[in-house]
Amino acid sequence: MKNLDILQIKAQLNRGKSVEQFLGTGKSGLHEILKWIEIRPEKESFTLVYHEVFNDADEGIESIYNYSYVVPDDLYGKDITESKSVEEILNKAQSIFGNGNFYNEGFLDEIIK
């Protein structure tokens, strides 16, 4: 799976498609959690969204997108910030979560294999 360069990220967002960055794993009690961010295009802006789910692979659930959220109220992720420009939202994502690779929406299952 190839990560997106800045031109590809802009193209995806301008087409109304989200881009995602896997942040890694962690622990919540005895359970492993998976974390990622999403930049979601909105009508007039872009929203940075944080996702944190339990690793439900042991329960036979095959996709990270179907795993249980650590905070049930964050069923579609937690909005962190928004911006009017792609460059600004990418800078905000980097300043909060560090520099990492972005991928097309829906490809995290391939990344975490």
Side-chain angles (χ1 to χ4, degrees):
M1 169 61 24
K2 182 178 173 272
N3 60 298
L4 302 174
D5 63 31
I6 186 69
L7 294 176
Q8 293 167 323
I9 291 170
K10 288 179 180 181
Q12 282 294 101
L13 293 170
N14 287 328
R15 278 195 297 266
K17 303 287 186 181
S18 294
V19 294
E20 302 169 327
Q21 180 184 106
F22 185 65
L23 299 175
T25 62
K27 287 283 187 184
S28 178
L30 299 174
H31 303 284
E32 180 183 45
I33 58 172
L34 304 170
K35 303 176 275 188
W36 77 93
I37 57 173
E38 169 190 9
I39 297 177
R40 185 181 296 159
E42 306 290 347
K43 194 170 195 161
E44 300 285 329
S45 64
F46 303 95
T47 303
L48 178 62
V49 182
Y50 176 75
H51 299 269
E52 192 172 72
V53 296
F54 291 109
N55 187 346
D56 291 337
D58 292 342
E59 296 179 24
I61 300 173
E62 295 182 10
S63 176
I64 189 173
Y65 302 104
N66 296 325
Y67 291 173
S68 306
Y69 274 82
V70 173
V71 178
D73 289 343
D74 293 342
L75 190 55
Y76 300 104
K78 180 178 178 153
D79 291 358
I80 302 298
T81 187
E82 70 176 71
S83 176
K84 298 283 184 193
S85 78
V86 173
E87 291 83 2
E88 187 175 314
I89 200 72
L90 286 169
N91 287 336
K92 287 179 179 182
Q94 183 177 4
S95 70
I96 296 169
F97 296 102
N99 198 13
N101 295 326
F102 279 93
Y103 300 92
N104 290 325
E105 69 178 301
F107 283 95
L108 288 184
D109 290 327
E110 299 298 319
I111 305 303
I112 63 172
K113 282 185 181 180

